[in-house]
Amino acid sequence: MCGIIGIISTEHSSESRRKTKLMLEAIEHRGDRLPQLSQIENVSLGCARLAIVGRDQAQQPLTDSTNGITVVFNGEIYNHRNLNREITGSNNSPSDTQVILESYKKWGIDYVNKLDGMFSILLYDSSNGVVYASRDYFGIKPLYFLKTKQSVYFASEIKAITTVVPKDELAQGVKAVPPGSTLHCSVAVPYEINEIQNQILPDIKIPKSEEGARRKLREFVRDAVWSMLDTDLPVGVLCSGGIDSSVILYEAMEYKKQRNCQLDLTAYCVGVPEPFSYPRPDSIDSVYANYEHNQILQKLSMTDCQPLKIVNIELGSVIKLIPEVISSIETFEPNHIRAGIANLALMKEIHEDGIKVVLVGEGADELLGGYHEFVECIAKYGYGKQLDEMFDVFSQELHKTQLKRVDRLSMACGIEARVPFLSKELASFISALPNNWKIPMRNGKAAPKAILREAYKRTLSRAVWARRKVPMGEGAGVGDNGDGGHFYENARKFITHQKAQNLMKQYPSFKLKDDEEAWYFHQFLQLFGPLSIASNRPTTNILPTEEYE
């Protein structure tokens, strides 16, 4: 995992180098090694590297001077050993960055379809004068770009670009490289950019029965989790006491037991010492997570594991994290900021424990239909095209919602967050399942994520597999995604209703909905300016579903 940047420019090389250094400084929190850069003709590439794979021998930028290819890469390629074996016949894979370079040499730009992982890649091929900017299928790893008259800028975070580009050149706005695509950018003026959607999910055969699909789902989940534990570093698992994170925790513990390995595995959960912060008794994540953690250890007869670590946070102190969350996530949306506060507090604690790799459960709700919107859609339209379209929207917007929050707040603390539910084969399998298997009718009601719940019904406790969907902020005790509450009242201390109304009128395309969001937007403007990327509103606030029966 890293922060990467790139500049194509007609400016003097010394000016490009100066800007490159400033851009790297803006995102140096994403790495734990000294930022490095490479300048080839009018192309500058740089990387702030978080060393995970090939910690001692790997380096970025990586250049093949014989073939005139330079690459910088952010992410993790889980099948890099297999690819290296296919390319070289060797079992020794020096690093996934090296495998990316060799894959491009062997298969050309379609090499991205060979990669199983999360990634954003900048690859410059001087033989044809093109910079290729690629992003993984779901957009787990971020990559932004801005084209001006003199230059094209690329970066893992918006702030790296706004650091060096004058505000009057930001008129067209910083844009995201679309997930699953590769931008072909000519290094010759006028820097023609073409977008190619060149990634596809593999075809997966679906069993004929629901029971067969449940068994197959477990196999894919296990394989996804196990592939992400191939490290000699300590690993954390973020637990909420819900079905998704509990499934990941179980499979990680099973890996440790079956491999009889020395994997240093610790589960984490957010807690709040004030019980009155929780709107309902079943909101308390730490209670459910602690119970299930103990149940899993008992079921697997494991005694050599770390206890669940509950990170207690005080509401008064975490509210002070709001400016840092806005700066890190680069958003002004209340639901992401509210959840982000608990997320950031947790990541800070994990960082203090020296852990650089964590597993998270994001993506399951979007692919399996875990949100209340899916239930409402079925109640209104049944299992028709409207439901198909809703699944498409939620999965396509993941890179602007949950994945954005997870990436920014983990990388702000120098932590790599791995997302098992979005592994290539598992995601492909889930996407191919009939919608009435994902959300079937049970007792006259649509049952969200039923196939996952029923697949693990005999493995996890009923308290967990039957628990309703609880938004992160609510489960952590810092507030749900509804209107009002602590965060709304806190915002009113800093912004008048009239000033909020003025912002709504001044920036109508951003569709600010209340005083709280207006206050966050005011801070966002001071940091980044009115970038067009922020006008693309993500999914609506998530509403809790009722308990699954």
Side-chain angles (χ1 to χ4, degrees), residues 63-274:
T63 298
D64 179 338
S65 56
T66 302
N67 292 282
I69 303 168
T70 301
V71 62
V72 288
F73 151 66
N74 169 32
E76 202 75 41
I77 307 302
Y78 304 120
N79 65 336
H80 71 95
R81 298 183 199 280
N82 292 337
L83 287 175
N84 184 68
R85 194 177 302 115
E86 183 177 351
I87 296 168
T88 68
S90 171
N91 290 322
N92 297 320
S93 175
S95 71
D96 40 8
T97 310
Q98 182 72 49
V99 169
I100 286 171
L101 192 152
E102 297 300 329
S103 296
Y104 172 75
K105 287 160 58 178
K106 183 175 180 63
W107 293 296
I109 195 57
D110 286 337
Y111 80 94
V112 290
N113 275 309
K114 291 278 189 175
L115 307 180
D116 182 11
M118 51 183 184
F119 56 85
S120 58
I121 302 167
L122 292 174
L123 186 150
Y124 174 42
D125 187 341
S126 62
S127 68
N128 62 8
V130 174
V131 170
Y132 298 101
S134 302
R135 200 170 175 200
D136 66 72
Y137 185 85
F138 288 101
I140 302 172
K141 292 289 98 186
L143 189 57
Y144 298 95
F145 72 101
L146 173 71
K147 180 180 177 181
T148 66
K149 290 182 179 179
Q150 284 190 311
S151 308
V152 181
Y153 301 88
F154 295 94
S156 295
E157 297 184 15
I158 297 171
K159 59 179 68 68
I161 297 175
T162 58
T163 295
V164 297
V165 178
K167 288 188 176 182
D168 61 347
E169 294 184 31
L170 291 170
Q172 294 186 12
V174 179
K175 298 178 176 63
V177 174
S181 71
T182 296
L183 300 186
H184 297 211
C185 185
S186 170
V187 301
V189 178
Y191 309 128
E192 182 178 350
I193 299 177
N194 295 306
E195 176 191 333
I196 307 295
Q197 286 284 339
N198 65 337
Q199 291 184 55
I200 57 174
L201 290 178
D203 289 330
I204 303 291
K205 186 177 180 180
I206 301 301
K208 295 181 179 179
S209 69
E210 288 187 60
E211 179 57 35
R214 287 193 286 270
R215 288 195 299 268
K216 199 67 178 174
L217 177 61
R218 285 193 63 140
E219 291 178 19
F220 280 118
V221 171
R222 179 201 62 205
D223 291 347
V225 174
W226 286 24
S227 72
M228 297 182 190
L229 294 172
D230 182 16
T231 179
D232 59 348
L233 293 172
V235 176
V237 180
L238 271 55
C239 295
S240 66
I243 180 69
D244 308 331
S245 61
S246 296
V247 162
I248 292 172
L249 178 62
Y250 174 82
E251 295 296 354
M253 292 292 191
E254 179 79 354
Y255 174 91
K256 180 177 172 67
K257 180 179 180 180
Q258 293 294 333
R259 297 292 178 91
N260 192 28
C261 63
Q262 298 301 312
L263 175 67
D264 185 350
L265 190 69
T266 305
Y268 288 85
C269 182
V270 173
V272 175
E274 304 114 332

Side-chain angles (χ1 to χ4, degrees), residues 329-347:
I329 306 181
E330 301 177 330
T331 188
F332 53 85
E333 301 216 41
N335 54 327
H336 298 307
I337 293 168
R338 292 180 180 193
I341 285 171
N343 226 166
L344 182 59
L346 185 59
M347 292 297 181

Side-chain angles (χ1 to χ4, degrees), residues 237-241 267-273 278 283-290 308-314 318 338-350 467 472-478:
V237 180
L238 271 55
C239 295
S240 66
Y268 288 85
C269 182
V270 173
V272 175
Y278 297 95
S283 297
I284 311 175
D285 280 355
S286 57
V287 171
Y288 283 83
N290 192 51
L308 174 76
K309 185 164 186 178
I310 299 175
V311 180
N312 285 320
I313 56 177
E314 297 281 351
V318 295
R338 292 180 180 193
I341 285 171
N343 226 166
L344 182 59
L346 185 59
M347 292 297 181
K348 285 176 178 287
E349 184 74 19
I350 294 172
R467 189 184 179 203
M472 184 175 183
E474 178 186 339
V478 296

